[in-house]
Amino acid sequence: MQATRRLFWSRLSVRLAVMLALALLPIGLFAVWQTRKLTLEVAASQEAAMLGATLRSADEETSVILRARGLMAGLAQAVLPVIGDTPACVATVRQFAKAEPLATLVAYFPNDGVMSCTSTGTTLDMSMNPLFMEIRAAKVPYFIVNKRALVSKTSVLGISHPVFDAAGHYLGYVSISLPQTSLTDQRENAEVFADYKEGLLSFWTFDRDGGLLTASVGLDIAEQQLPTTRTLKNLVGSVGEVFSDQTKDGEWHSYAVVPIAAGELYLMSRWRPTGNQLTGLGDYMPVALMWLAALIVAVAAAELLVARHVRILNGGIAAFAGGDRRLRDIDLKHAPVELRELGDAYLSMTEAITHGEARMEDTLHQKEVLLREVHHRVKNNLQLIASIMNIQMRKAASAETRSLLKGLQDQVISLATVHHGLYQTSGMADVQVGELFTDIVRQITTMSAGGEKRFVITTDVDDIRMIPDQAVPLSLMMTEALTNAIKHSDGTEAVSGPIGLRLKRMGDGEAVLEVQNTYAQNTASAPDAGGLDPVNTGLGSQLIAAFGRQLGGKLEQIHHDGRHVLRMTFEVSALAAAEYRAGEYHDVVP
């Protein structure tokens, strides 16, 4: 019996572990859902806290920016009546400048770029200034950073607003400049900036184009602290979010983005990395460990209680199935009672099978010995009959009588040869035809050696197993055909007559038997005009035909170029038919 390959997934302990894992799956999923829910709640609370802290940390700074933005929106309407009246325009912008003490410049910029309406009274030609042309082209509320302003000579944040007349014609824009140092002072004086020490590292503002406007650590340093995978431009439009990303120096941080003026001005903060944002899978680690512990316990329990005892029992069963009939003691004393009972039942079964096989082998041996003895006695009786016929031949007066008795004696000797072969061959339920044919051919060669003729028998026999009901008539046919071939072969004392014997397996469960010989062209053995061998009318041909009918095959005799071929094609019976054979041979006499 071929051993079954032991796959890992086919082991009992593994299957029990999988079943237990499936049983625990609903509980595990519920625990994961609860953990996920709690994690989301904690994360949402943390994000809300970060967003709120971000707004509070930049409250003073954003208040100044929003206040300045509102002032410029009001100034854009206030300057319309005084455009062209420089003193009145200057008075108007100075009045608005007093509303924002931090402002270094409040001015109206006409389309031609000649700025004369300023809070400082300064007149400047800005027509060729790139910043002026950028703001003029925008025609919308605009934020811009000028690292060196023409008036204050310092870095300022410019906040502008377009000016349109009643007909909607663009006349220019008004602008206010807020020094970066003033915004920093407001930030450092804010009490809520204490959050900086609890996780908030820095923050900055940016406009709709993703440009940095202000930064708690300076614009240059803030550039290095921006996230690498999400640009400020991509964050425009955010309604408030928290995410994690790497800075340009490879460090992970948490970021919070909130809008100050939706679509125009945004505030962004950088925080120390938080566990929930960076390693969210860690929240499920307790559930995973609990599940893994359950699997380990299940595997260990299955191994200790069942699997190792089953392997011991399986080893004994596999050895017994492989032919080992030694009654081995199977140690299952520490196994569960069900497995111990199974082991005891196995031992009882193997003992019963072993004794039964021993009795069957003894019975089979006795039958084989008896059958061999039957074939041996039949062979001896046939040889005795041949000897009696030999005595009668010597007493016969006429040559015709002696010839007839000689032919009958040859037939009897052929039958004795077959039974001798059956006696010698191994196995009684079926017969190895190759072994039987070899023994019969050897005896025929020995019996026919000498005399006026020499012959050589070449054999090509497949190892085919047949039931005795087919092997006996087939052997008798082969013996009769070989005897006739030797009798009519074209051989002399100097030259051997070639004789061929073939038994080959064919498709569809069929086999073919062929006996070939070269007949003497100038003897009576040559075919007549009708193409038939004279021997076909004798007893040998009748026996061959009878054997062919018993085999249920197709018998052919072919004469061609001095060769005579006897061919028998038949179907090989299944070996199982030996169990149902009648126990007696059919009469072979026609």
Side-chain angles (χ1 to χ4, degrees):
M1 181 181 295
Q2 184 178 4
T4 303
R5 184 181 180 186
R6 294 182 178 179
L7 298 176
F8 176 75
W9 293 108
S10 64
R11 295 181 180 272
L12 177 61
S13 56
V14 175
R15 293 190 177 187
L16 287 177
V18 172
M19 294 302 296
L20 181 58
L22 292 177
L24 293 176
L25 184 60
I27 300 176
L29 292 177
F30 179 75
V32 169
W33 177 76
Q34 288 281 34
T35 303
R36 176 64 176 171
K37 181 179 178 182
L38 180 60
T39 301
L40 292 177
E41 290 176 355
V42 172
S45 176
Q46 186 180 42
E47 290 177 2
M50 292 175 64
L51 293 174
T54 299
L55 287 173
R56 291 194 304 273
S57 298
D59 183 61
E60 293 296 324
E61 182 173 322
T62 55
S63 296
V64 172
I65 295 175
L66 291 176
R67 187 169 61 247
R69 178 173 172 271
L71 286 173
M72 291 302 98
L75 180 60
Q77 296 299 320
V79 298
L80 285 176
V82 296
I83 292 177
D85 185 353
T86 300
C89 183
V90 170
T92 301
V93 297
R94 283 178 176 176
Q95 184 179 359
F96 274 82
K98 291 178 182 180
E100 180 53 67
L102 298 180
T104 58
L105 177 65
V106 177
Y108 165 68
F109 292 80
N111 277 333
D112 59 6
V114 179
M115 180 183 68
S116 59
C117 181
T118 66
S119 61
T120 60
T122 306
T123 300
L124 294 174
D125 185 1
M126 301 290 293
S127 59
M128 302 304 294
N129 188 288
L131 292 178
F132 165 75
M133 290 187 287
E134 178 181 347
I135 298 172
R136 182 183 61 180
K139 297 182 181 180
V140 292
Y142 205 74
F143 297 89
I144 195 167
V145 174
N146 187 356
K147 293 187 177 181
R148 186 170 178 81
L150 294 177
V151 176
S152 64
K153 307 300 182 182
T154 61
S155 178
V156 298
L157 170 63
I159 304 174
S160 62
H161 196 283
V163 178
F164 295 92
D165 60 14
H169 297 111
Y170 180 62
L171 304 178
Y173 64 88
V174 292
S175 176
I176 184 172
S177 297
L178 300 175
Q180 295 281 0
T181 55
S182 299
L183 295 175
T184 303
D185 293 340
Q186 294 291 322
R187 183 187 314 126
E188 292 177 349
N189 293 332
E191 295 181 358
V192 294
F193 200 70
D195 290 332
Y196 181 89
K197 300 178 181 179
E198 299 176 1
L200 179 61
L201 300 178
S202 58
F203 60 86
W204 48 83
T205 58
F206 60 94
D207 59 16
R208 67 166 65 89
D209 296 322
L212 282 175
L213 301 178
T214 64
S216 62
V217 291
L219 296 180
D220 294 336
I221 297 177
E223 286 283 354
Q224 301 300 318
Q225 297 178 352
L226 295 178
T228 56
T229 60
R230 303 187 66 176
T231 64
L232 297 180
K233 180 67 174 178
N234 294 334
L235 294 172
V236 172
S238 173
V239 295
E241 63 175 303
V242 176
F243 62 93
S244 298
D245 204 342
Q246 284 181 299
T247 60
K248 293 182 179 179
D249 56 8
E251 295 183 0
W252 278 93
H253 291 281
S254 296
Y255 294 89
V257 180
V258 291
I260 298 176
E264 297 183 19
L265 181 63
Y266 294 86
L267 176 64
M268 185 174 189
S269 60
R270 181 174 66 96
W271 296 74
R272 291 188 179 93
T274 58
N276 285 332
Q277 293 296 321
L278 299 179
T279 56
L281 293 178
D283 297 324
Y284 307 111
M285 189 59 65
V287 178
L289 291 177
M290 179 186 69
W291 203 2
L292 180 61
L295 293 181
I296 293 174
V297 171
V299 172
E303 177 66 23
L304 293 176
L305 297 177
V306 181
R308 65 189 183 102
H309 303 298
V310 171
R311 282 199 299 270
I312 295 174
L313 185 59
N314 182 59
I317 295 174
F320 187 82
D324 186 355
R325 292 299 183 261
R326 292 175 295 175
L327 297 179
R328 301 183 178 182
D329 184 22
I330 298 179
D331 183 14
L332 296 176
K333 60 183 179 180
H334 298 298
V337 62
E338 293 85 358
L339 291 180
R340 290 202 303 270
E341 292 176 352
L342 180 61
D344 293 339
Y346 163 71
L347 290 177
S348 300
M349 180 188 66
T350 54
E351 184 176 359
I353 291 175
T354 302
H355 292 318
E357 288 181 345
R359 289 193 299 269
M360 290 179 61
E361 289 179 0
D362 184 61
T363 302
L364 182 61
H365 177 69
Q366 292 179 5
K367 290 183 177 180
E368 183 177 345
V369 171
L370 179 60
L371 189 56
R372 287 177 182 271
E373 183 63 22
V374 169
H375 286 301
H376 183 63
R377 288 180 181 271
V378 171
K379 183 212 52 160
N380 289 342
N381 291 336
L382 289 173
Q383 286 181 340
L384 179 59
I385 293 172
S387 299
I388 294 173
M389 296 178 69
N390 191 43
I391 294 173
Q392 294 297 325
M393 279 191 299
R394 289 198 296 267
K395 293 181 180 181
S398 65
E400 183 180 357
T401 302
R402 286 194 297 273
S403 176
L404 178 60
L405 290 175
K406 176 61 177 174
L408 292 175
Q409 185 187 41
D410 290 342
Q411 303 296 334
V412 172
I413 292 176
S414 297
L415 292 174
T417 301
V418 171
H419 282 280
H420 180 75
L422 291 173
Y423 167 72
Q424 294 292 337
T425 188
S426 60
M428 292 296 108
D430 53 70
V431 178
Q432 292 182 346
V433 180
E435 181 180 347
L436 178 62
F437 273 25
T438 301
D439 185 63
I440 293 175
V441 169
R442 183 174 61 252
Q443 293 190 52
I444 292 176
T445 303
T446 301
M447 291 170 54
S448 303
E452 299 178 353
K453 293 183 179 181
R454 296 180 59 196
F455 57 88
V456 175
I457 300 178
T458 58
T459 60
D460 183 10
V461 180
D462 289 346
D463 187 11
I464 303 175
R465 304 185 72 88
M466 293 184 181
I467 61 175
D469 283 355
Q470 277 196 314
V472 171
L474 182 65
S475 300
L476 292 173
M477 171 181 281
M478 184 272 293
T479 302
E480 189 64 35
L482 276 182
T483 302
N484 287 342
I486 291 172
K487 182 187 299 183
H488 300 285
S489 66
D490 188 10
T492 65
E493 294 183 359
V495 180
S496 300
I499 298 175
L501 171 63
R502 295 178 70 251
L503 177 63
K504 306 299 289 183
R505 188 187 302 275
M506 302 175 63
D508 300 328
E510 291 186 338
V512 60
L513 171 69
E514 288 186 355
V515 178
Q516 304 178 5
N517 73 296
T518 304
Y519 54 80
Q521 296 288 346
N522 298 321
T523 66
S525 62
D528 59 11
L532 297 176
D533 197 325
V535 75
N536 289 340
T537 62
L539 178 61
S541 296
Q542 295 180 46
L543 289 174
I544 290 173
F547 294 141
R549 289 194 297 271
Q550 186 172 347
L551 289 169
K554 179 182 178 183
L555 182 63
E556 300 176 272
Q557 296 196 62
I558 303 171
H559 302 283
H560 182 68
D561 293 337
R563 299 285 292 174
H564 174 73
V565 179
L566 184 144
R567 179 180 297 144
M568 177 67 183
T569 305
F570 62 98
E571 183 176 355
V572 179
S573 299
L575 297 181
E579 301 178 2
Y580 307 101
R581 64 180 183 269
E584 59 181 1
Y585 301 136
H586 298 288
D587 185 7
V588 298
V589 180

